[in-house]
Amino acid sequence: MAAKQPPPLMKKHSQTDLVSRLKTRKILGILGVGGEDDDGEVHRSKISQVLGNEIKFTVREPLGLRVWQFVSAVLFSGIAIMALAFPDQLYDAVFDGAQVTSKTPIRLYGGALLSISLIMWNALYTAEKVIIRWTLLTEACYFGVQFLVVTATLAETGLMSLGILLLLVSRLLFVAISIYYYYQVGRRPKKA
């Protein structure tokens, strides 16, 4: 029995090739590929349109961001462990000799800080811009609220010590650093 021979290969006519290109462009247009993207970038080839531009998805990290994230995670973890294990010493360091009436609020504070520190440690290993920004905003809010609470406590009690002044100054500095990095991570990259 004789095997059937495949039909001879025919060259495409230029007209059918144009129709094929038109169909491809229509499909790519439906998928949102082609022309300008959301950032106004014009792709030079179909491959870059279909595959996307990898550089667009990487976060350009500001200088020192990862160091700040590491310092924050260590700071939150250290204070959390101190508040959980040694609440008297933590209170004494901040309020300079004032007597602790109950250890429970300080330990609850330590538990909350430990939870935030876990978020900080996880954010240290991510490259997602949104997660980095949310953790920086969390830090800024935490330090801002702590500044307000300590200031209100000072107004009520009238206690003033070097430890409290250092705490207030450091909290303002930490708020400024966190907000700086928050805005730097959120900036759109400049086009070359």
Side-chain angles (χ1 to χ4, degrees):
M1 196 170 201
K4 288 187 177 179
Q5 292 292 327
L9 294 175
M10 300 167 92
K11 286 188 174 184
K12 279 189 166 187
H13 297 290
S14 62
Q15 184 180 15
T16 57
D17 194 30
L18 288 174
V19 171
S20 176
R21 281 191 209 167
L22 181 62
K23 285 180 182 177
T24 303
R25 287 187 181 170
K26 281 185 180 180
I27 291 171
L28 289 174
I30 291 170
L31 296 175
V33 178
E36 287 188 8
D37 59 7
D38 293 338
D39 296 329
E41 185 175 318
V42 178
H43 296 280
R44 300 287 178 236
S45 71
K46 292 290 180 200
I47 292 173
S48 70
Q49 287 176 322
V50 173
L51 297 178
N53 190 353
E54 186 178 317
I55 296 170
K56 186 189 331 182
F57 298 112
T58 59
V59 176
R60 292 194 180 161
E61 296 176 352
L63 188 63
L65 173 67
R66 294 299 178 174
V67 173
W68 174 246
Q69 286 181 303
F70 178 76
V71 167
S72 296
V74 168
L75 181 77
F76 274 79
S77 299
I79 294 174
I81 291 169
M82 190 170 175
L84 288 169
F86 311 108
D88 293 330
Q89 287 80 2
L90 180 65
Y91 193 84
D92 185 44
V94 174
F95 292 105
D96 202 27
Q99 188 61 33
V100 177
T101 56
S102 176
K103 295 179 183 180
T104 304
I106 299 170
R107 287 198 169 121
L108 287 171
Y109 168 72
L113 276 186
L114 190 60
S115 300
I116 293 174
S117 75
L118 291 174
I119 295 169
M120 299 299 163
W121 283 111
N122 284 324
L124 183 62
Y125 298 107
T126 188
E128 290 190 41
K129 192 186 216 179
V130 173
I131 293 173
I132 294 170
R133 290 190 82 209
W134 271 107
T135 55
L136 290 167
L137 187 61
T138 300
E139 285 181 60
C141 289
Y142 166 77
F143 290 132
V145 167
Q146 189 178 30
F147 176 82
L148 294 174
V149 167
V150 172
T151 304
T153 304
L154 283 178
E156 287 176 1
T157 61
L159 294 174
M160 185 60 88
S161 69
L162 181 62
I164 292 175
L165 287 176
L166 286 175
L167 178 75
L168 290 174
V169 169
S170 68
R171 294 316 175 226
L172 284 178
L173 179 66
F174 294 162
V175 166
I177 292 171
S178 295
I179 289 175
Y180 168 76
Y181 282 125
Y182 175 80
Y183 282 112
Q184 289 299 312
V185 170
R187 282 188 342 169
R188 288 183 178 244
K190 293 180 181 176
K191 298 202 179 194

